[in-house]
Amino acid sequence: MIKHVRIDNRLIHGQVAAAWKNNIGADAIIVCNDDVAKDPIQKMVLPMAAQGSKVLVFSIDELVEYDQQNPQETKFVICKFASDCLALLEKGLVIEEVNVGNQAPVINTEYVMVNGFVAATKEDAITYRKIANYKNNQLKCQVVPTRPSEDFLELLKKAGL
């Protein structure tokens, strides 16, 4: 079961390795992005960032296959981009919870800072809304589990997206 997907382009870092994994009670941390899955250096380094945890790095299709083969495992998935999360939902994966984490601005895009840690373009906003459609038109944004979550669709609206 995919218990939690965090959209965070930093992938694995202290907040993820400690606070989020423990809060979720996940058996494994899975980084899901097609480009990252093709990069042997990232595949080697990412598990080091969460020492003591089972860490896997998969493409979207690899995660779909892994989830089907390991339905009993509680998974915490980190998607680099919202488009990765949307692809998983479109492929029929059941995701209990989606959280928008950090999204740094992408150079040469017309981004807007939605809050202090999420940058989004108009195209990103469309993707986020599509994700919300799979989640009863709800999408939350939460930096760490000890802080309150925010309604990400409202944040997009306030940011003019």
Side-chain angles (χ1 to χ4, degrees), residues 60-114:
I60 290 162
D61 288 336
E62 289 169 335
L63 177 54
V64 170
E65 183 178 333
Y66 183 82
D67 190 54
Q68 291 168 347
Q69 292 173 354
N70 299 278
Q72 74 293 343
E73 186 176 64
T74 301
K75 300 166 200 77
F76 170 32
V77 175
I78 305 162
C79 290
K80 187 168 185 172
F81 302 114
S83 56
D84 299 325
C85 180
L86 180 59
L88 295 174
L89 290 164
E90 288 174 339
K91 288 186 176 278
L93 289 187
V94 176
I95 298 170
E96 203 169 294
E97 188 172 48
V98 177
N99 171 34
V100 180
N102 189 76
Q103 286 294 289
V106 176
I107 298 171
N108 297 323
T109 63
E110 292 185 30
Y111 68 86
V112 173
M113 291 306 296
V114 176

Side-chain angles (χ1 to χ4, degrees), residues 16 25 29 33 35 40-41 51 58 60-61 77 87 120-121 149 161:
V16 165
I29 298 173
N33 174 270
D35 291 334
I41 304 242
Q51 291 181 346
F58 288 145
I60 290 162
D61 288 336
V77 175
T121 63
S149 65
L161 294 173

Side-chain angles (χ1 to χ4, degrees), residues 10 21 50 59 61 75 103 116 123 129 135 141 145 155:
R10 298 172 298 172
K21 181 188 177 284
S59 68
D61 288 336
K75 300 166 200 77
Q103 286 294 289
E123 294 79 16
R129 285 189 175 90
K135 305 304 298 167
C141 182
L155 292 175

Side-chain angles (χ1 to χ4, degrees), residues 22 31 39 46 52-53 57 62 71-72 81 89-90 118 125 131 136 146 150 154 161:
N22 293 336
V31 172
D39 184 335
L46 284 167
S53 297
V57 181
E62 289 169 335
Q72 74 293 343
F81 302 114
L89 290 164
E90 288 174 339
V118 177
I131 291 168
N136 295 320
T146 55
E150 298 179 84
E154 274 302 309
L161 294 173

